[in-house]
Amino acid sequence: MDLYEIIKIAAAFFTAALSGMGVGGGGLLLIYLTLFANETQKTAQLINLMFFLAASSSSLIVHVSRRKLSFKVILLLALGGALGAFFGSETAKTADDGILRIILGGFLTLSGVISLFGKGKRKGDGDKTK
Amino acid sequence: MYVLSFLFGKGHEADERTDEATDETEEKDIFASAVLSVLPMTAVSVINYLRGGTGLPENIESYIVPAFFGGIAGAFLLEKISSKWLKKIFSLLVIWAGVSLILKETGIM
């Protein structure tokens, strides 16, 4: 096994760990695949999606037994998301790779900034006068 | 509760710590729910990509096998790591990734 193969396995393992935690990670693997592994954008996207199927399925074995999952919300998100994913992947088939990368980069940066500086509303906020 | 807290000094802080622990648990439940809700979207996308003619990459198992074990490790780590730090670390990584992608694509990097 050469160094490139070891880096590839390590990248997949650590980004899968992030995916398993539910904070993302798939986006990071996509960056590794396009910037460092020199895969074409569409091949990288497919690898990334299949990678996520494996990572999330295995993590769910643990989550289902340990965490309180809100199945009603999950069902709504999954239905809406699946519909969006269908149109998204249809669009990706014909879209230019360069434009896809810039859009992805923009979304990643924006979501990172919002997540870092955005103040999430905690339960009980605005209820401190009781 | 707050009257008792003021009466006993630190009681109020203990109450807030309990609130924070509850928020932390709920946040982790949300992370876990997010994983499950994204799964069907991913499956639909994979089917659509394969139907559209995007070929299955030759070296796919190099990513799938570590992903399977990484996913389990991540699920266990979620119990151990503070969600506050998890979000901070991930946000910085995502910003780095997004900026790198834009710089590379526009030829600056």
Side-chain angles (χ1 to χ4, degrees), chain B residues 13-107:
Chain B
E13 285 172 21
D15 180 44
E16 281 200 338
R17 273 200 295 274
T18 312
D19 278 352
E20 274 179 27
T22 310
D23 284 343
E24 173 98 9
T25 308
E26 283 179 0
E27 204 156 32
K28 287 179 177 177
D29 287 342
I30 292 169
F31 288 159
S33 299
V35 177
L36 184 52
S37 60
V38 177
L39 201 58
M41 307 175 200
T42 314
V44 167
S45 298
V46 167
I47 293 165
N48 217 13
Y49 268 84
L50 293 174
R51 272 185 44 225
T54 308
L56 201 62
E58 282 175 17
N59 52 356
I60 190 75
E61 68 283 351
S62 303
Y63 296 101
I64 299 292
V65 177
F68 183 84
F69 292 105
I72 293 174
F76 279 112
L77 276 173
L78 182 63
E79 309 293 323
K80 310 275 180 205
I81 298 176
S82 151
S83 60
K84 190 177 126 190
W85 282 105
L86 200 62
K87 261 169 48 176
K88 279 188 180 170
I89 294 165
F90 181 70
S91 302
L92 290 172
L93 280 171
V94 161
I95 292 170
W96 166 79
V99 171
S100 303
L101 200 60
I102 293 170
L103 291 180
K104 169 115 193 243
E105 198 50 46
T106 50

Coordinates of all heavy atoms in Angstrom, one line a residue, chain B residues 13-107:
Chain B
E13 N -26.7 29.0 39.2 CA -25.7 28.5 38.2 C -25.9 27.0 37.9 O -25.8 26.6 36.8 CB -24.3 28.8 38.8 CG -23.8 30.2 38.7 CD -22.5 30.5 39.4 OE1 -21.8 29.5 39.6 OE2 -22.3 31.6 39.8
A14 N -26.2 26.3 39.0 CA -26.4 24.8 38.8 C -27.6 24.6 37.9 O -27.5 23.7 37.0 CB -26.7 24.2 40.2
D15 N -28.6 25.4 38.1 CA -29.8 25.3 37.2 C -29.4 25.6 35.7 O -29.9 24.9 34.8 CB -30.8 26.3 37.7 CG -32.1 26.3 36.9 OD1 -32.5 25.2 36.6 OD2 -32.7 27.3 36.6
E16 N -28.6 26.6 35.6 CA -28.2 27.0 34.2 C -27.3 25.9 33.6 O -27.4 25.6 32.4 CB -27.4 28.3 34.2 CG -28.3 29.5 34.3 CD -27.7 30.8 33.8 OE1 -26.5 30.8 33.8 OE2 -28.5 31.7 33.5
R17 N -26.5 25.3 34.4 CA -25.7 24.2 33.9 C -26.6 23.0 33.4 O -26.3 22.4 32.4 CB -24.7 23.7 34.9 CG -23.4 24.5 34.9 CD -22.3 23.7 35.6 NE -22.6 23.5 37.0 CZ -22.3 24.4 38.0 NH1 -21.7 25.5 37.7 NH2 -22.6 24.1 39.2
T18 N -27.6 22.7 34.2 CA -28.6 21.7 33.8 C -29.2 22.0 32.4 O -29.3 21.2 31.5 CB -29.7 21.5 34.8 OG1 -29.0 21.5 36.1 CG2 -30.5 20.3 34.6
D19 N -29.6 23.3 32.3 CA -30.2 23.8 31.0 C -29.2 23.6 29.9 O -29.6 23.1 28.8 CB -30.5 25.3 31.1 CG -31.8 25.5 31.8 OD1 -32.5 24.5 32.0 OD2 -32.2 26.7 32.1
E20 N -27.9 23.9 30.1 CA -26.9 23.8 29.1 C -26.7 22.3 28.7 O -26.6 22.0 27.5 CB -25.6 24.3 29.5 CG -25.4 25.8 29.3 CD -24.1 26.4 29.8 OE1 -23.1 25.6 29.9 OE2 -24.1 27.6 30.1
A21 N -26.8 21.4 29.7 CA -26.6 20.0 29.4 C -27.8 19.5 28.6 O -27.6 18.7 27.7 CB -26.5 19.2 30.7
T22 N -29.0 20.0 28.9 CA -30.2 19.6 28.1 C -30.0 20.1 26.7 O -30.3 19.3 25.7 CB -31.5 20.2 28.8 OG1 -31.4 19.9 30.1 CG2 -32.7 19.6 28.1
D23 N -29.6 21.3 26.5 CA -29.4 21.9 25.2 C -28.4 21.1 24.4 O -28.6 20.8 23.2 CB -28.9 23.3 25.3 CG -30.1 24.3 25.6 OD1 -31.2 23.9 25.5 OD2 -29.8 25.4 26.1
E24 N -27.3 20.7 25.1 CA -26.3 19.9 24.4 C -26.8 18.6 23.9 O -26.6 18.2 22.8 CB -25.1 19.7 25.4 CG -24.0 18.8 25.0 CD -22.8 19.5 24.4 OE1 -22.7 20.7 24.5 OE2 -22.0 18.8 23.9
T25 N -27.6 17.9 24.8 CA -28.2 16.6 24.4 C -29.1 16.8 23.3 O -29.1 16.0 22.3 CB -29.0 16.0 25.6 OG1 -28.1 16.0 26.8 CG2 -29.5 14.6 25.4
E26 N -30.0 17.9 23.3 CA -30.9 18.1 22.2 C -30.2 18.4 20.9 O -30.6 17.9 19.9 CB -31.8 19.2 22.6 CG -32.9 18.8 23.6 CD -33.8 19.9 24.0 OE1 -33.6 21.1 23.5 OE2 -34.7 19.7 24.8
E27 N -29.1 19.1 21.0 CA -28.3 19.5 19.8 C -27.8 18.2 19.2 O -27.8 18.1 18.0 CB -27.2 20.4 20.2 CG -26.7 21.3 19.0 CD -26.1 22.6 19.5 OE1 -25.4 22.6 20.6 OE2 -26.2 23.6 18.8
K28 N -27.3 17.3 20.0 CA -26.7 16.0 19.5 C -27.8 15.2 18.9 O -27.6 14.5 17.9 CB -26.0 15.3 20.6 CG -24.7 16.0 20.9 CD -23.9 15.3 22.0 CE -22.6 16.0 22.2 NZ -21.8 15.5 23.3
D29 N -29.0 15.2 19.5 CA -30.2 14.5 18.9 C -30.5 15.1 17.5 O -30.8 14.3 16.6 CB -31.4 14.7 19.8 CG -31.3 13.8 21.0 OD1 -30.5 12.9 21.1 OD2 -32.1 14.1 22.0
I30 N -30.3 16.4 17.4 CA -30.6 17.0 16.1 C -29.5 16.6 15.1 O -29.8 16.3 13.9 CB -30.6 18.6 16.2 CG1 -31.8 19.0 17.0 CG2 -30.6 19.3 14.8 CD1 -31.8 20.5 17.4
F31 N -28.2 16.5 15.5 CA -27.2 16.1 14.6 C -27.5 14.7 14.1 O -27.3 14.4 12.9 CB -25.8 16.1 15.3 CG -25.2 17.4 15.6 CD1 -24.3 17.6 16.6 CD2 -25.6 18.5 14.9 CE1 -23.8 18.9 16.9 CE2 -25.1 19.8 15.1 CZ -24.2 20.0 16.1
A32 N -27.9 13.8 15.0 CA -28.2 12.4 14.7 C -29.4 12.3 13.7 O -29.4 11.6 12.7 CB -28.5 11.6 15.9
S33 N -30.4 13.2 14.0 CA -31.6 13.2 13.1 C -31.2 13.7 11.7 O -31.7 13.2 10.7 CB -32.7 14.1 13.7 OG -33.1 13.7 14.9
A34 N -30.2 14.6 11.7 CA -29.8 15.2 10.4 C -29.2 14.1 9.5 O -29.4 14.0 8.3 CB -28.8 16.3 10.6
V35 N -28.4 13.2 10.2 CA -27.8 12.1 9.4 C -28.9 11.2 8.7 O -28.8 10.9 7.5 CB -26.9 11.2 10.3 CG1 -26.4 10.0 9.6 CG2 -25.8 12.0 11.0
L36 N -29.9 10.9 9.5 CA -31.0 10.0 9.0 C -31.8 10.7 7.9 O -32.1 10.1 6.9 CB -31.9 9.6 10.1 CG -33.0 8.6 9.8 CD1 -32.5 7.4 9.1 CD2 -33.8 8.2 11.0
S37 N -32.0 12.0 8.0 CA -32.8 12.7 7.0 C -32.1 12.9 5.7 O -32.7 13.0 4.7 CB -33.3 14.1 7.6 OG -32.3 14.9 7.9
V38 N -30.8 13.0 5.8 CA -30.0 13.2 4.5 C -29.8 11.9 3.7 O -29.6 11.9 2.5 CB -28.6 13.8 4.9 CG1 -27.8 14.0 3.6 CG2 -28.8 15.2 5.5
L39 N -30.0 10.8 4.4 CA -29.8 9.5 3.8 C -30.7 9.3 2.5 O -30.1 8.9 1.5 CB -30.0 8.4 4.8 CG -29.4 7.0 4.5 CD1 -27.9 7.1 4.3 CD2 -29.8 6.0 5.6
P40 N -32.0 9.5 2.6 CA -32.8 9.3 1.4 C -32.4 10.2 0.2 O -32.4 9.9 -0.9 CB -34.2 9.6 1.8 CG -34.2 9.5 3.3 CD -32.8 9.9 3.7
M41 N -32.1 11.5 0.6 CA -31.7 12.5 -0.5 C -30.4 11.9 -1.2 O -30.3 12.0 -2.4 CB -31.2 13.8 0.2 CG -32.2 14.4 1.1 SD -31.5 15.9 1.8 CE -32.6 16.1 3.2
T42 N -29.5 11.4 -0.4 CA -28.3 10.9 -1.0 C -28.5 9.7 -1.9 O -28.0 9.6 -3.0 CB -27.3 10.4 0.2 OG1 -27.3 11.5 1.1 CG2 -25.9 10.2 -0.4
A43 N -29.4 8.8 -1.4 CA -29.8 7.6 -2.2 C -30.4 8.0 -3.5 O -30.0 7.5 -4.6 CB -30.7 6.7 -1.4
V44 N -31.3 9.0 -3.5 CA -31.9 9.5 -4.8 C -30.9 10.0 -5.7 O -30.9 9.7 -6.9 CB -33.0 10.5 -4.4 CG1 -33.5 11.3 -5.7 CG2 -34.2 9.9 -3.7
S45 N -30.0 10.8 -5.2 CA -28.9 11.4 -6.0 C -28.0 10.3 -6.6 O -27.7 10.4 -7.8 CB -28.0 12.3 -5.2 OG -28.8 13.4 -4.7
V46 N -27.6 9.3 -5.8 CA -26.8 8.3 -6.4 C -27.5 7.5 -7.5 O -26.9 7.3 -8.6 CB -26.4 7.2 -5.2 CG1 -25.8 6.0 -5.8 CG2 -25.5 7.9 -4.2
I47 N -28.7 7.2 -7.3 CA -29.5 6.5 -8.4 C -29.6 7.3 -9.6 O -29.3 6.9 -10.7 CB -30.9 6.1 -7.9 CG1 -30.8 5.1 -6.8 CG2 -31.8 5.6 -9.0 CD1 -32.1 4.9 -6.0
N48 N -29.8 8.6 -9.4 CA -29.9 9.6 -10.6 C -28.6 9.7 -11.3 O -28.6 9.8 -12.5 CB -30.4 10.9 -10.1 CG -31.4 11.5 -11.1 OD1 -31.9 10.9 -12.0 ND2 -31.7 12.8 -10.9
Y49 N -27.5 9.8 -10.6 CA -26.2 9.9 -11.2 C -25.9 8.7 -12.0 O -25.4 8.8 -13.2 CB -25.1 10.1 -10.1 CG -24.8 11.5 -9.8 CD1 -25.6 12.2 -8.9 CD2 -23.7 12.2 -10.4 CE1 -25.3 13.5 -8.5 CE2 -23.4 13.5 -10.1 CZ -24.2 14.2 -9.1 OH -23.9 15.5 -8.8
L50 N -26.1 7.5 -11.4 CA -25.8 6.2 -12.1 C -26.7 6.1 -13.4 O -26.3 5.6 -14.4 CB -26.0 5.0 -11.2 CG -25.0 5.0 -10.0 CD1 -25.3 3.9 -9.1 CD2 -23.5 4.8 -10.6
R51 N -28.0 6.4 -13.2 CA -28.9 6.4 -14.4 C -28.5 7.3 -15.5 O -28.7 7.1 -16.7 CB -30.3 6.7 -13.9 CG -31.2 5.6 -13.4 CD -32.6 6.0 -13.1 NE -33.2 6.8 -14.1 CZ -33.9 7.9 -13.9 NH1 -34.1 8.3 -12.6 NH2 -34.4 8.6 -14.8
G52 N -27.9 8.4 -15.1 CA -27.5 9.5 -16.0 C -26.2 9.1 -16.8 O -25.7 9.9 -17.6
G53 N -25.6 8.0 -16.4 CA -24.4 7.6 -17.1 C -23.1 7.9 -16.5 O -22.0 7.6 -17.0
T54 N -23.1 8.5 -15.3 CA -21.8 8.7 -14.6 C -21.3 7.3 -14.1 O -22.0 6.6 -13.4 CB -22.0 9.6 -13.3 OG1 -22.7 10.8 -13.8 CG2 -20.7 10.0 -12.7
G55 N -20.2 7.0 -14.6 CA -19.6 5.6 -14.3 C -19.2 5.4 -12.9 O -18.8 6.4 -12.2
L56 N -19.3 4.2 -12.4 CA -18.9 3.9 -11.0 C -17.4 3.9 -11.0 O -16.7 3.3 -11.8 CB -19.4 2.5 -10.7 CG -19.5 2.1 -9.2 CD1 -20.5 3.0 -8.5 CD2 -19.9 0.7 -9.1
P57 N -16.8 4.8 -10.1 CA -15.4 4.9 -10.1 C -14.7 3.6 -9.7 O -15.2 2.8 -8.9 CB -15.1 5.9 -9.0 CG -16.4 6.6 -8.8 CD -17.5 5.6 -9.1
E58 N -13.5 3.3 -10.3 CA -12.8 2.0 -10.1 C -12.4 1.8 -8.6 O -12.5 0.7 -8.1 CB -11.6 2.0 -11.0 CG -11.9 1.7 -12.4 CD -10.7 1.7 -13.3 OE1 -9.6 1.7 -12.8 OE2 -10.8 1.8 -14.5
N59 N -12.0 2.9 -8.0 CA -11.4 2.8 -6.7 C -12.4 3.1 -5.6 O -12.0 3.5 -4.5 CB -10.1 3.7 -6.6 CG -10.5 5.1 -6.9 OD1 -11.6 5.4 -7.4 ND2 -9.5 6.0 -6.8
I60 N -13.6 2.9 -5.8 CA -14.7 3.3 -4.9 C -14.5 2.6 -3.5 O -14.8 3.2 -2.5 CB -16.1 3.1 -5.5 CG1 -17.2 3.7 -4.6 CG2 -16.4 1.6 -5.7 CD1 -17.2 5.2 -4.7
E61 N -14.0 1.4 -3.5 CA -14.0 0.6 -2.2 C -12.9 1.3 -1.2 O -13.1 1.2 0.0 CB -13.6 -0.8 -2.4 CG -12.3 -1.2 -3.0 CD -12.1 -0.9 -4.5 OE1 -13.1 -0.6 -5.1 OE2 -11.0 -1.0 -5.0
S62 N -12.0 2.0 -1.8 CA -11.0 2.7 -0.9 C -11.6 3.8 -0.1 O -11.1 4.2 0.9 CB -9.9 3.4 -1.8 OG -9.3 2.4 -2.6
Y63 N -12.8 4.3 -0.5 CA -13.5 5.3 0.2 C -14.7 4.7 1.0 O -14.9 5.1 2.1 CB -14.1 6.3 -0.7 CG -13.0 7.1 -1.5 CD1 -12.7 6.8 -2.8 CD2 -12.3 8.1 -0.9 CE1 -11.7 7.5 -3.5 CE2 -11.3 8.8 -1.6 CZ -11.0 8.5 -2.9 OH -10.1 9.1 -3.6
I64 N -15.3 3.7 0.5 CA -16.5 3.1 1.1 C -16.2 2.4 2.4 O -16.8 2.5 3.4 CB -17.2 2.1 0.2 CG1 -17.7 2.9 -1.1 CG2 -18.4 1.4 0.8 CD1 -18.8 3.9 -0.9
V65 N -15.1 1.6 2.4 CA -14.7 0.8 3.6 C -14.3 1.7 4.8 O -14.9 1.5 5.9 CB -13.7 -0.3 3.2 CG1 -13.3 -1.1 4.5 CG2 -14.2 -1.3 2.2
P66 N -13.4 2.6 4.6 CA -13.1 3.5 5.7 C -14.3 4.4 6.1 O -14.4 4.7 7.3 CB -12.0 4.4 5.1 CG -11.5 3.9 3.9 CD -12.6 2.9 3.4
A67 N -15.2 4.7 5.1 CA -16.3 5.5 5.5 C -17.2 4.7 6.4 O -17.8 5.3 7.4 CB -17.1 5.8 4.2
F68 N -17.4 3.4 6.2 CA -18.2 2.6 7.1 C -17.7 2.7 8.5 O -18.5 2.9 9.5 CB -18.3 1.2 6.5 CG -19.2 0.3 7.3 CD1 -20.5 0.2 7.0 CD2 -18.7 -0.5 8.4 CE1 -21.4 -0.6 7.8 CE2 -19.5 -1.3 9.1 CZ -20.9 -1.4 8.8
F69 N -16.4 2.5 8.7 CA -15.9 2.5 10.0 C -15.8 3.9 10.6 O -16.0 4.1 11.8 CB -14.5 1.8 10.0 CG -14.6 0.3 9.8 CD1 -14.2 -0.2 8.5 CD2 -15.1 -0.6 10.7 CE1 -14.4 -1.6 8.2 CE2 -15.3 -1.9 10.4 CZ -14.9 -2.4 9.2
G70 N -15.5 4.9 9.8 CA -15.5 6.3 10.2 C -16.8 6.7 10.7 O -16.9 7.4 11.7
G71 N -17.9 6.3 10.1 CA -19.2 6.6 10.5 C -19.5 6.1 11.9 O -20.1 6.8 12.7
I72 N -19.1 4.9 12.1 CA -19.4 4.3 13.5 C -18.5 5.1 14.5 O -19.0 5.5 15.6 CB -19.0 2.8 13.5 CG1 -20.0 2.0 12.6 CG2 -19.0 2.2 14.9 CD1 -19.6 0.6 12.4
A73 N -17.3 5.4 14.2 CA -16.4 6.1 15.1 C -17.0 7.5 15.4 O -17.0 7.9 16.5 CB -15.0 6.3 14.5
G74 N -17.5 8.1 14.3 CA -18.2 9.5 14.5 C -19.4 9.4 15.4 O -19.5 10.3 16.3
A75 N -20.2 8.4 15.3 CA -21.4 8.2 16.1 C -21.0 8.1 17.6 O -21.6 8.7 18.5 CB -22.2 7.1 15.6
F76 N -19.9 7.3 17.9 CA -19.5 7.2 19.2 C -18.8 8.5 19.7 O -19.0 8.9 20.9 CB -18.5 6.0 19.4 CG -19.2 4.7 19.4 CD1 -19.1 3.8 18.4 CD2 -20.0 4.3 20.5 CE1 -19.7 2.5 18.5 CE2 -20.6 3.1 20.6 CZ -20.5 2.2 19.6
L77 N -18.1 9.1 18.9 CA -17.4 10.4 19.3 C -18.4 11.5 19.6 O -18.1 12.4 20.4 CB -16.5 10.9 18.1 CG -15.1 10.2 18.1 CD1 -14.4 10.7 16.8 CD2 -14.3 10.7 19.3
L78 N -19.6 11.4 18.9 CA -20.6 12.5 19.2 C -21.0 12.5 20.7 O -21.3 13.6 21.2 CB -21.8 12.2 18.3 CG -23.0 13.2 18.4 CD1 -22.6 14.6 17.9 CD2 -24.2 12.7 17.6
E79 N -20.9 11.3 21.3 CA -21.2 11.3 22.7 C -20.2 12.0 23.6 O -20.5 12.4 24.7 CB -21.3 9.8 23.2 CG -22.2 8.9 22.3 CD -23.7 9.3 22.4 OE1 -24.1 9.7 23.5 OE2 -24.4 9.3 21.4
K80 N -19.0 12.0 23.1 CA -17.8 12.5 23.9 C -17.5 13.9 23.7 O -17.0 14.6 24.6 CB -16.6 11.6 23.6 CG -16.8 10.1 23.6 CD -16.6 9.6 25.0 CE -16.9 8.1 25.0 NZ -17.3 7.6 26.3
I81 N -17.7 14.4 22.5 CA -17.2 15.8 22.1 C -18.3 16.8 22.4 O -19.4 16.6 22.1 CB -16.7 15.8 20.7 CG1 -15.5 14.8 20.5 CG2 -16.2 17.2 20.3 CD1 -15.0 14.7 19.1
S82 N -17.9 18.0 22.9 CA -18.8 19.1 23.1 C -19.3 19.6 21.7 O -18.5 19.8 20.8 CB -18.1 20.2 23.9 OG -18.6 21.4 23.5
S83 N -20.6 19.7 21.6 CA -21.1 20.1 20.3 C -20.7 21.5 19.9 O -20.6 21.9 18.8 CB -22.7 20.0 20.3 OG -23.2 20.8 21.3
K84 N -20.4 22.4 21.0 CA -19.9 23.7 20.7 C -18.6 23.7 20.0 O -18.4 24.4 19.0 CB -19.8 24.4 22.1 CG -19.6 25.9 22.0 CD -19.5 26.5 23.4 CE -18.2 27.3 23.6 NZ -18.0 27.7 25.0
W85 N -17.7 22.9 20.5 CA -16.4 22.8 19.8 C -16.4 22.1 18.5 O -15.7 22.5 17.5 CB -15.4 22.1 20.8 CG -14.9 23.0 21.8 CD1 -15.3 23.1 23.1 CD2 -14.0 24.2 21.6 NE1 -14.7 24.1 23.8 CE2 -13.9 24.8 22.9 CE3 -13.4 24.7 20.6 CZ2 -13.2 26.0 23.1 CZ3 -12.6 25.8 20.7 CH2 -12.5 26.4 22.0
L86 N -17.3 21.1 18.4 CA -17.5 20.4 17.2 C -17.9 21.4 16.0 O -17.4 21.3 14.9 CB -18.6 19.4 17.4 CG -18.7 18.2 16.5 CD1 -17.4 17.4 16.5 CD2 -19.9 17.3 16.9
K87 N -18.9 22.2 16.4 CA -19.4 23.2 15.4 C -18.3 24.2 15.0 O -18.1 24.5 13.8 CB -20.6 24.0 16.0 CG -21.9 23.4 15.5 CD -23.1 23.8 16.1 CE -23.3 25.3 16.3 NZ -24.6 25.5 16.9
K88 N -17.5 24.6 16.0 CA -16.4 25.6 15.7 C -15.3 25.0 14.7 O -14.9 25.6 13.7 CB -15.7 26.0 17.0 CG -16.5 27.1 17.6 CD -15.8 27.7 18.8 CE -16.7 28.8 19.4 NZ -16.2 29.3 20.7
I89 N -14.9 23.7 15.1 CA -13.9 23.1 14.3 C -14.4 22.8 12.9 O -13.7 23.1 11.9 CB -13.5 21.7 14.9 CG1 -12.8 22.0 16.3 CG2 -12.6 20.9 14.0 CD1 -12.6 20.8 17.1
F90 N -15.6 22.3 12.8 CA -16.2 22.0 11.5 C -16.4 23.3 10.6 O -16.1 23.3 9.4 CB -17.5 21.3 11.6 CG -18.1 20.9 10.3 CD1 -17.5 20.0 9.5 CD2 -19.2 21.6 9.8 CE1 -18.0 19.7 8.2 CE2 -19.7 21.3 8.5 CZ -19.1 20.3 7.8
S91 N -16.8 24.4 11.3 CA -17.0 25.6 10.6 C -15.7 26.1 9.9 O -15.7 26.5 8.8 CB -17.5 26.7 11.5 OG -18.7 26.3 12.1
L92 N -14.6 26.1 10.7 CA -13.3 26.5 10.2 C -12.9 25.7 9.0 O -12.4 26.2 8.0 CB -12.3 26.5 11.3 CG -12.5 27.6 12.4 CD1 -11.6 27.4 13.6 CD2 -12.3 29.0 11.8
L93 N -13.1 24.4 9.2 CA -12.7 23.5 8.1 C -13.5 23.7 6.8 O -12.9 23.8 5.7 CB -12.9 22.0 8.5 CG -11.8 21.4 9.4 CD1 -12.3 20.0 9.9 CD2 -10.5 21.2 8.6
V94 N -14.8 24.0 7.0 CA -15.6 24.3 5.8 C -15.3 25.6 5.2 O -15.2 25.7 3.9 CB -17.1 24.2 6.3 CG1 -18.0 24.9 5.3 CG2 -17.6 22.8 6.5
I95 N -15.0 26.6 6.0 CA -14.6 27.9 5.4 C -13.3 27.7 4.6 O -13.2 28.2 3.5 CB -14.4 29.0 6.5 CG1 -15.8 29.3 7.1 CG2 -13.7 30.2 5.9 CD1 -15.7 30.2 8.3
W96 N -12.3 27.0 5.2 CA -11.1 26.7 4.5 C -11.3 26.0 3.2 O -10.8 26.4 2.1 CB -10.1 25.9 5.4 CG -9.0 25.3 4.6 CD1 -7.8 26.0 4.2 CD2 -8.9 24.0 4.1 NE1 -7.0 25.1 3.5 CE2 -7.6 23.9 3.4 CE3 -9.7 22.9 4.1 CZ2 -7.2 22.7 2.7 CZ3 -9.3 21.7 3.5 CH2 -8.0 21.7 2.8
A97 N -12.2 25.0 3.2 CA -12.5 24.2 2.0 C -13.2 25.0 0.9 O -12.8 25.0 -0.2 CB -13.4 23.0 2.4
G98 N -14.1 25.8 1.3 CA -14.9 26.7 0.4 C -14.0 27.7 -0.3 O -14.0 27.8 -1.5
V99 N -13.2 28.4 0.5 CA -12.3 29.4 0.0 C -11.2 28.7 -0.9 O -11.0 29.3 -2.0 CB -11.6 30.2 1.1 CG1 -10.5 31.1 0.6 CG2 -12.7 31.0 1.9
S100 N -10.7 27.6 -0.5 CA -9.7 26.9 -1.4 C -10.3 26.5 -2.7 O -9.6 26.7 -3.8 CB -9.2 25.6 -0.7 OG -8.7 25.8 0.5
L101 N -11.5 26.1 -2.7 CA -12.2 25.6 -4.0 C -12.4 26.8 -4.9 O -12.1 26.8 -6.1 CB -13.5 25.0 -3.6 CG -14.2 24.1 -4.7 CD1 -13.3 23.0 -5.0 CD2 -15.5 23.6 -4.2
I102 N -12.8 28.0 -4.3 CA -13.1 29.2 -5.2 C -11.7 29.7 -5.7 O -11.6 30.0 -6.9 CB -13.8 30.3 -4.3 CG1 -15.2 29.8 -4.0 CG2 -13.8 31.6 -5.1 CD1 -15.9 30.7 -3.0
L103 N -10.7 29.7 -4.8 CA -9.4 30.2 -5.3 C -8.8 29.3 -6.4 O -8.3 29.8 -7.4 CB -8.4 30.3 -4.1 CG -8.7 31.3 -3.0 CD1 -7.7 31.3 -1.9 CD2 -8.8 32.8 -3.6
K104 N -8.9 28.0 -6.2 CA -8.4 27.1 -7.2 C -9.2 27.3 -8.5 O -8.5 27.3 -9.6 CB -8.5 25.7 -6.7 CG -8.2 24.6 -7.7 CD -7.0 23.8 -7.4 CE -6.5 23.0 -8.6 NZ -6.6 21.6 -8.3
E105 N -10.5 27.3 -8.5 CA -11.3 27.4 -9.7 C -11.1 28.7 -10.4 O -11.1 28.8 -11.6 CB -12.8 27.2 -9.3 CG -13.6 26.8 -10.5 CD -13.1 25.7 -11.3 OE1 -12.7 24.7 -10.7 OE2 -13.1 25.8 -12.5
T106 N -10.8 29.8 -9.7 CA -10.7 31.1 -10.4 C -9.2 31.3 -10.8 O -8.8 32.3 -11.3 CB -11.1 32.2 -9.4 OG1 -10.5 32.1 -8.2 CG2 -12.6 32.3 -9.3
G107 N -8.3 30.3 -10.4 CA -6.9 30.4 -10.9 C -6.0 31.2 -10.0 O -4.9 31.4 -10.3

